[in-house]
């Protein structure tokens, strides 16, 4: 689809530019002498080339790319809100920095390239001038003068190149740091939300048996993180319940209604995320429905409202939207310049002089003019 619309738009642009050139040349030829008094004929060729170049930048796929970027950025933000609106707001609070840095980078890069080309163009102009009139330069002994002028222009071009490199490096560094800052803000807040939900939904797991409620425990050496995210089976102590094929360290016998603390252990804690990751054979939980019911029985819920993949998707979507919006100002500038150039061209095309050589109306001689020349002494 992108190939089709870009190809069709470029074909349309080429046809429009061809028509612009034909009509512009025709309009210049038809103007009266008074118009040429205000518009230097020596500058017309340059003005035509510059105008067509600017119009070329605002037609075709460039104009469509602007709507593509704005539409893609809006869709990315909307999709990010659908995943997690809180993390999206945090990322959007930082996204203007990313958009500004991207726009600054593209602008500085374009202007630096233009300035370097202009600086080297002036140096090349001096060399071209000297080579064109090399006989005159040699006859007047002006080689040293032209050499000094050429070296001066090269030095100016070198200074422009150094300043441009510094500006481009600063803009690039700001762009990369802004993206990293937005990712850090999203991960920090998203990680805080994830940890808070896991803590809020955690519960001590226990099983109902014919003997009563039996707790599941873990050794004291296990960290709180291991208990909340699920631990390997060989570290879980289902008290009083032997498991075939498992070699567990001996645990103090705890009767129904006992606690893990009585045996010097910690209760196995699960949450909305680790409940699905726990050993299903050990916990005797099979399927989302059973996991949801088990969580409700312990005063919790399943599944989690916020997942880690949602946080990552939100960050990527907002970063994409910021980059798209950051590229938009450059295209908008091209469209504005193309509009101004087109206005000047169309103003010339629409101008009809009082004496119009292309006009078909008015009085037309029906007979060829004839006359006689009389020479009087």
């Amino acid at each position: 689809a992108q190939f089709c619309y870009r190809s069709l738009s470029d074909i349309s642009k080429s046809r429009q530019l061809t028509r612009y050139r034909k009509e512009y040349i025709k309009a210049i030829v038809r103007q009266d002498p008074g118009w040429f008094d205000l518009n230097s004929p020596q500058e017309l060729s340059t003005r035509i080339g510059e105008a067509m170049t600017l119009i070329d930048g605002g037609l075709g796929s460039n104009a469509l790319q602007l709507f593509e970027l704005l539409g893609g950025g809006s869709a990315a933000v909307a999709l990010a809100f659908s995943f997690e609106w809180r993390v999206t707001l945090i990322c959007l609070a930082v996204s203007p920095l990313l958009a500004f840095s991207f726009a600054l980078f593209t602008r500085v890069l374009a202007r630096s390239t233009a300035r370097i080309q202009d600086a080297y163009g002036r140096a090349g102009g001096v060399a071209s001038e000297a080579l064109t009139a090399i006989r005159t330069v040699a006859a007047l002994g002006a080689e040293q003068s032209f050499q000094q002028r050429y070296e001066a222009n090269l030095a100016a071009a070198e200074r422009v190149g150094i300043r441009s490199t510094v500006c481009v490096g600063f803009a690039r560094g700001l762009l990369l740091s802004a993206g990293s800052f937005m990712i850090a803000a999203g991960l920090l807040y998203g990680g805080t939300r994830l940890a808070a939900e896991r803590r809020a939904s955690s519960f001590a797991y226990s099983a109902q048996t014919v003997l009563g409620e039996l707790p599941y425990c873990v050794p004291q050496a296990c960290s709180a993180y291991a208990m909340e995210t699920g631990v390997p089976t060989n570290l879980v102590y289902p008290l009083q319940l032997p498991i075939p094929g498992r070699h567990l360290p001996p645990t103090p016998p705890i009767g129904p209604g006992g606690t893990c603390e009585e045996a010097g252990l910690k209760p196995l804690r699960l949450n909305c995320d680790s409940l699905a990751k726990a050993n299903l054979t050990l916990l005797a939980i099979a399927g989302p429905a059973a996991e949801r019911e088990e969580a409700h029985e312990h005063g919790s819920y399943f599944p989690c409202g916020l997942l880690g993949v949602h946080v990552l998707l939100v960050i990527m979507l907002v970063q994409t939207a910021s980059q798209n919006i950051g590229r938009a100002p450059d295209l908008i500038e091209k469209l504005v310049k193309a509009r101004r150039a087109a206005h000047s061209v169309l103003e010339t095309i629409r101008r009809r002089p009082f004496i119009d050589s292309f006009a078909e109306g008015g009085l037309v001689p029906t007979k060829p003019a004839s006359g006689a020349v009389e020479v009087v002494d």
Side-chain angles (χ1 to χ4, degrees):
Q2 190 175 22
F3 170 77
C4 293
Y5 94 77
R6 284 185 179 272
S7 300
L8 295 175
S9 62
D10 288 340
I11 291 174
S12 176
K13 177 187 69 174
S14 300
R15 292 178 176 177
Q16 292 182 66
L17 287 176
T18 301
R19 186 174 180 183
Y20 265 117
R21 291 188 178 96
K22 290 181 179 180
E23 296 296 330
Y24 196 27
I25 296 297
K26 181 180 178 181
I28 291 176
V29 172
R30 83 192 307 170
Q31 300 303 321
D32 53 0
W35 185 84
F36 289 96
D37 293 338
L38 300 176
N39 299 272
S40 176
Q42 290 78 12
E43 299 178 0
L44 289 179
S45 59
T46 304
R47 289 172 57 184
I48 293 174
E50 292 178 353
M52 293 301 110
T53 302
L54 294 175
I55 294 175
D56 185 9
L59 291 177
S61 58
N62 290 331
L64 296 178
Q65 189 178 9
L66 174 62
F67 298 102
E68 178 183 349
L69 293 176
L70 295 178
S74 302
V77 172
L79 191 59
F81 271 108
S82 68
F83 283 118
E84 175 55 35
W85 63 273
R86 299 180 186 87
V87 180
T88 304
L89 288 178
I90 295 297
C91 293
L92 286 177
V94 188
S95 61
L97 178 61
L98 180 61
F100 168 76
S101 60
F102 194 87
L104 178 65
F105 173 72
T106 54
R107 183 181 295 270
V108 168
L109 185 61
R111 291 191 175 183
S112 299
T113 303
R115 289 174 180 176
I116 292 174
Q117 290 178 348
D118 292 341
Y120 279 105
R122 287 191 294 269
V126 174
S128 178
E129 180 183 356
L131 293 175
T132 303
I134 187 62
R135 293 182 179 180
T136 305
V137 173
L140 298 176
E143 295 91 341
Q144 191 69 23
S145 174
F146 274 95
Q147 180 182 356
Q148 292 176 357
R149 288 176 55 191
Y150 183 72
E151 291 178 352
N153 282 278
L154 282 181
E158 181 182 4
R159 290 192 296 270
V160 171
I162 294 175
R163 287 196 300 267
S164 300
T165 303
V166 173
C167 293
V168 171
F170 173 77
R172 188 188 298 275
L174 181 62
L175 174 62
L176 297 177
S177 61
S180 301
F181 185 68
M182 189 188 72
I183 293 175
L187 289 177
L188 180 62
Y189 181 77
T192 304
R193 294 286 304 172
L194 287 171
E197 185 177 21
R198 270 56 176 177
R199 286 193 297 267
S201 63
S202 65
F203 60 91
Y205 181 78
S206 60
Q208 294 292 337
T209 67
V210 293
L211 300 177
E213 184 176 0
L214 295 179
Y216 278 65
C217 307
V218 294
Q220 292 285 352
C222 293
S223 64
Y225 174 79
M227 289 188 292
E228 292 184 359
T229 57
V231 295
T233 305
N234 61 352
L235 294 180
V236 178
Y237 291 75
L239 302 183
Q240 305 281 344
L241 297 178
I243 300 176
R246 307 289 185 184
H247 301 282
L248 301 176
T251 60
I254 298 178
T259 62
C260 297
E261 287 77 5
E262 296 176 1
L265 304 173
K266 292 181 179 181
L268 172 65
R269 302 191 65 85
L270 300 177
N271 53 42
C272 60
D273 182 58
S274 61
L275 184 59
K277 301 176 182 178
N279 187 280
L280 302 183
T281 304
L282 176 63
L283 302 184
I285 301 175
E291 293 167 351
R292 189 178 298 107
E293 181 180 356
E294 187 71 28
H296 285 307
E297 290 179 358
H298 289 84
S300 183
Y301 58 89
F302 180 85
C304 297
L306 178 61
L307 301 178
V309 65
H310 292 168
V311 176
L312 294 178
L313 284 174
V314 166
I315 294 173
M316 293 175 61
L317 288 170
V318 176
Q319 189 174 16
T320 302
S322 301
Q323 291 178 354
N324 288 354
I325 295 175
R327 293 171 58 188
D330 184 46
L331 296 176
I332 293 175
E333 182 180 3
K334 289 184 178 180
L335 289 177
V336 172
K337 291 182 178 179
R339 183 176 180 273
R340 293 175 180 173
H343 174 74
S344 176
V345 172
L346 291 175
E347 187 178 28
T348 304
I349 293 175
R350 293 168 182 166
R351 185 179 184 275
R352 295 294 185 269
F354 181 75
I355 302 175
D356 189 359
S357 59
F358 289 94
E360 298 180 357
L363 299 177
V364 179
T366 57
K367 297 180 180 181
S370 61
V373 177
E374 181 181 357
V375 179
V376 179
D377 188 2

